[in-house]
Structure formats: structure tokens, C-alpha cells
Amino acid sequence: MVDDELAVVEEADRFLRELRLARGRAETTKAYAEAVVLFLTWCANSRREWRTAARDMGLFMLWLKWTPGNGGQRRVVVPGPGAKPVRGESRINKVLTAVRMFFVHAVVNKAAPTWVLEQIYELGDDRDLPQEARGESGAMRYRMRARHRLQEPETTIDRRVDWLL
């Protein structure tokens, strides 16, 4: 991955290489690369250091929702009444997932401070899960839950097969 001056963005490049080569996830690499580019673009446009920008993920989410992509002419976003979002909830959640994985990779490789994880995850336990989803030992277990996630609208699936009629 390269920046506007064609210099390699070392940590992003390392993350994507590991994703593709070490984990064998070629199908995910392109989508994650696009998400990381969106995040790094937002950081550059808003003059934020990417390593510490996790504290402003809510602002990044707004930027994702309202800022046009490469074809957009405006850099400042001022959505008015009735404005249609540029990206939907599902797409924004996918971008956030990739950015969270990028941050986890950066923290593990000592390229970002460990407190970043506290900004993107909250610690939860299994008490709010149904009994069937808890472990058999009965001991309380902890899990990390993403702090920033949009509620996606439920879609109904039409299972009719019109061609049979």
C-alpha cells in the first residue's frame, strides 16, 4: 500500500501481506485494503495520526456515511435535510471491522499503543448471553465487543419462486 507520494505505508502494507500470505485470506485482502485506505485518507484529511485516531472513530463513522468516494468533489461534508447517505450501515460496519483488525495488528506488532484497543473494544462478559451460549464450566468468561457498530436494518427475504408459477 502506498500513499499520495507513492511511499509505502509500512504498517498497512505489513497488515495486508500477513492477511493475504500468512493467513491465506486472499478474498478478504481487497476489501480490507479498501477499508484501510478509507481510514488513512480520513486521518490525512483531518490531520490525525492514524495510531491514535481510534479515539475519534465516531467521527470516522460520520465521515464514511456522508463523504463521497473518489468521484466526489467536496471535501467538507454538510448533509442537509433529506440527504441520502453515501454508504449504508452494512458497508460502514464492514469498513469498521477491517479497521479494527488493522489496529489489532498494529498493537500486536508494537506499531500502535495498547490503549488503542480500549478505544475500539469494550470488555464484556457472558452474563448477557443465553445459557446455551455460555461455556459448560459455569465460570464467567470475558469477551471483547466492538464499541462502534451501526444497527443494520433487517431485510426480509422473499423466498417465493416466481418462475415456478
Side-chain angles (χ1 to χ4, degrees):
M1 179 173 287
V2 295
D3 63 12
D4 291 339
E5 288 85 35
L6 298 179
V8 174
V9 179
E10 188 61 39
E11 195 55 38
D13 189 59
R14 186 178 308 143
F15 168 65
L16 294 170
R17 275 187 285 131
E18 180 177 316
L19 189 67
R20 174 137 189 170
L21 303 174
R23 296 186 185 186
R25 297 183 58 189
E27 70 282 352
T28 318
T29 306
K30 182 179 184 289
Y32 275 30
E34 291 170 354
V36 171
V37 165
L38 284 170
F39 177 70
L40 294 175
T41 300
W42 171 73
C43 289
N45 289 348
S46 62
R47 294 182 178 91
R48 286 178 170 81
E49 167 61 38
W50 73 263
R51 290 169 181 83
T52 58
R55 69 176 122 229
D56 295 323
M57 289 298 277
L59 295 175
F60 176 55
M61 292 168 68
L62 284 173
W63 184 87
L64 283 173
K65 188 171 187 174
W66 298 108
T67 302
N70 290 338
Q73 298 299 320
R74 293 190 322 178
R75 287 189 163 218
V76 177
V77 179
V78 185
K84 186 176 182 228
V86 176
R87 295 172 189 87
E89 291 84 358
S90 176
R91 174 71 177 128
I92 292 171
N93 283 337
K94 288 174 183 169
V95 169
L96 293 173
T97 297
V99 171
R100 282 192 296 268
M101 298 312 309
F102 173 59
F103 270 121
V104 168
H105 182 271
V107 168
V108 166
N109 288 289
K110 311 276 190 263
T114 56
W115 61 260
V116 165
L117 295 181
E118 297 170 7
Q119 301 293 313
I120 57 176
Y121 291 107
E122 61 185 32
L123 191 60
D125 57 48
D126 63 358
R127 290 180 289 184
D128 62 337
L129 296 175
Q131 188 63 38
E132 298 81 28
R134 296 182 194 174
E136 294 179 8
S137 67
M140 187 166 61
R141 294 186 179 173
Y142 291 98
R143 59 193 163 100
M144 291 179 12
R145 184 178 356 194
R147 286 186 183 271
H148 305 91
R149 184 155 185 81
L150 293 175
Q151 185 69 37
E152 295 181 31
E154 293 203 22
T155 56
T156 57
I157 299 172
D158 186 4
R159 298 191 191 282
R160 292 182 303 175
V161 183
D162 291 335
W163 57 271
L164 286 176
L165 301 175

